[in-house]
Amino acid sequence: MDEAIDIKKAIQQHAEMERFFTGDFTLRAPEATVSAYEGSMDTNQECDPKKELADIARQVSVCTLCEELARTRKHTVPGEGDPQARLVFVGEAPGADEDARGRPFVGRAGQLLTKIILAMGLKREDVFICNTLKCRPPGNRDPKPDEKRNCGPFLQRQLEAIRPEIIVALGSHAAKSLLEVDLPIGRIRGRFHEYYFSPDLPPVKLMPTYHPAYLLRNYSQDNRRRVWDDMQKVMSELGLEAPKGKQA
Ligand code: URA
């Protein structure tokens, strides 16, 4: 009897996971991102997240700290989304599609990320999406340590401006940069870690998970289940329920 219940539960979980990744979620193109980047720097001590993000984006657009990236990029990709998002996704670095359009996660990996966000009961414009690097490394090579160092303060300021409740680090580059640890993603994913905006503020929860591009390359049931489990933990923490009929 118990065995029958277990099997039924396993089948249900499998079906839910399949829907999570293959559901017929409409991929809504997010509204223009530029709106998040209008305005100018607030001179008040209290920072206006929208203005601060706009200011960061402007500084990123003229940044030449990484000579090679500044020379080879078509566009900078600062990030986009709700300046007051409760949830921020941080990826690695823009790829060719993102470089061409100046927007994060708009290629194949981005479509999978959009699907995951929709399955969580959210829309892209409800969250903030950005990367550890704001420029594309040529040929999509890995970010170099000095590039991460140069770009780190932009990401840190973005997170400090938004002050989300949860950060999802997509892949090892994001997780290692934010947590300053050098452990494989498989060792740190699946549980919440603490991210400190500053020593004066309480930490927020950071969930490392597999990068959507990794998932596309290794589209096994186990990997999909792992990401699905990680996102469920995030949803539960935010009090989110998956949309009806698209139960994640
Ligand atoms: N991969 C990333 O890490 N970031 C993007 O914006 C796109 C693909």
Side-chain angles (χ1 to χ4, degrees):
M1 183 65 180
D2 280 356
E3 206 176 303
I5 291 170
D6 280 353
I7 291 171
K8 199 171 161 206
K9 204 167 152 200
I11 292 170
Q12 264 170 1
Q13 279 176 352
H14 177 76
E16 283 173 2
M17 186 190 70
E18 284 302 312
R19 277 201 295 278
F20 179 71
F21 283 105
T22 58
D24 60 335
F25 309 113
T26 322
L27 292 186
R28 290 190 25 187
E31 305 299 319
T33 56
V34 201
S35 60
Y37 297 129
E38 287 162 359
S40 59
M41 184 65 189
D42 194 0
T43 47
N44 295 333
Q45 284 258 299
E46 264 307 294
C47 131
D48 171 344
K50 187 172 169 179
K51 286 184 181 164
E52 174 67 356
L53 290 176
D55 199 50
I56 296 165
R58 259 192 303 277
Q59 291 172 19
V60 164
S61 73
V62 293
C63 178
T64 53
L65 283 176
C66 308
E67 189 277 325
E68 187 190 17
L69 304 194
R71 182 167 39 79
T72 54
R73 74 186 172 212
K74 290 196 179 84
H75 292 101
T76 51
V77 184
E80 68 186 29
D82 183 351
Q84 291 176 312
R86 298 176 67 202
L87 177 60
V88 171
F89 289 89
V90 181
E92 180 180 318
D97 294 314
E98 291 75 21
D99 180 52
R101 296 175 60 186
R103 295 183 48 207
F105 282 98
V106 289
R108 270 191 78 221
Q111 286 180 10
L112 181 55
L113 177 62
T114 304
K115 225 173 185 183
I116 291 171
I117 292 169
L118 291 171
M120 294 170 82
L122 295 166
K123 299 193 282 294
R124 268 180 75 117
E125 49 269 52
D126 295 330
V127 302
F128 194 85
I129 305 174
C130 59
N131 284 299
T132 54
L133 292 196
K134 312 302 185 196
C135 297
R136 180 192 183 204
N140 297 347
R141 64 158 168 72
D142 280 353
K144 293 180 180 169
D146 61 325
E147 293 166 347
K148 286 203 216 176
R149 260 195 309 277
N150 289 340
C151 225
F154 289 129
L155 175 60
Q156 204 176 324
R157 280 175 58 203
Q158 286 177 314
L159 294 172
E160 204 173 331
I162 301 167
R163 293 199 190 164
E165 288 165 51
I166 299 192
I167 299 166
V168 172
L170 300 165
S172 64
H173 280 285
K176 286 178 189 174
S177 297
L178 291 166
L179 295 174
E180 294 177 23
V181 293
D182 196 14
L183 290 168
I185 187 74
R187 288 272 305 279
I188 52 177
R189 61 147 284 279
R191 62 198 153 87
F192 286 111
H193 301 255
E194 289 183 335
Y195 176 80
Y196 285 86
F197 296 118
S198 82
D200 314 327
L201 291 168
V204 292
K205 290 184 187 299
L206 186 148
M207 172 64 77
T209 195
Y210 289 127
H211 192 289
Y214 170 85
L215 202 52
L216 284 172
R217 285 194 305 272
N218 303 275
Y219 208 65
S220 68
Q221 191 177 316
D222 280 351
N223 286 337
R224 282 179 287 159
R225 183 181 298 284
R226 286 177 186 127
V227 173
W228 153 233
D229 286 346
D230 298 348
M231 293 308 103
Q232 280 206 310
K233 286 177 190 156
V234 170
M235 287 162 67
S236 149
E237 199 62 31
L238 291 172
L240 294 176
E241 277 185 28
K244 285 253 175 325
K246 291 172 182 170
Q247 206 77 28

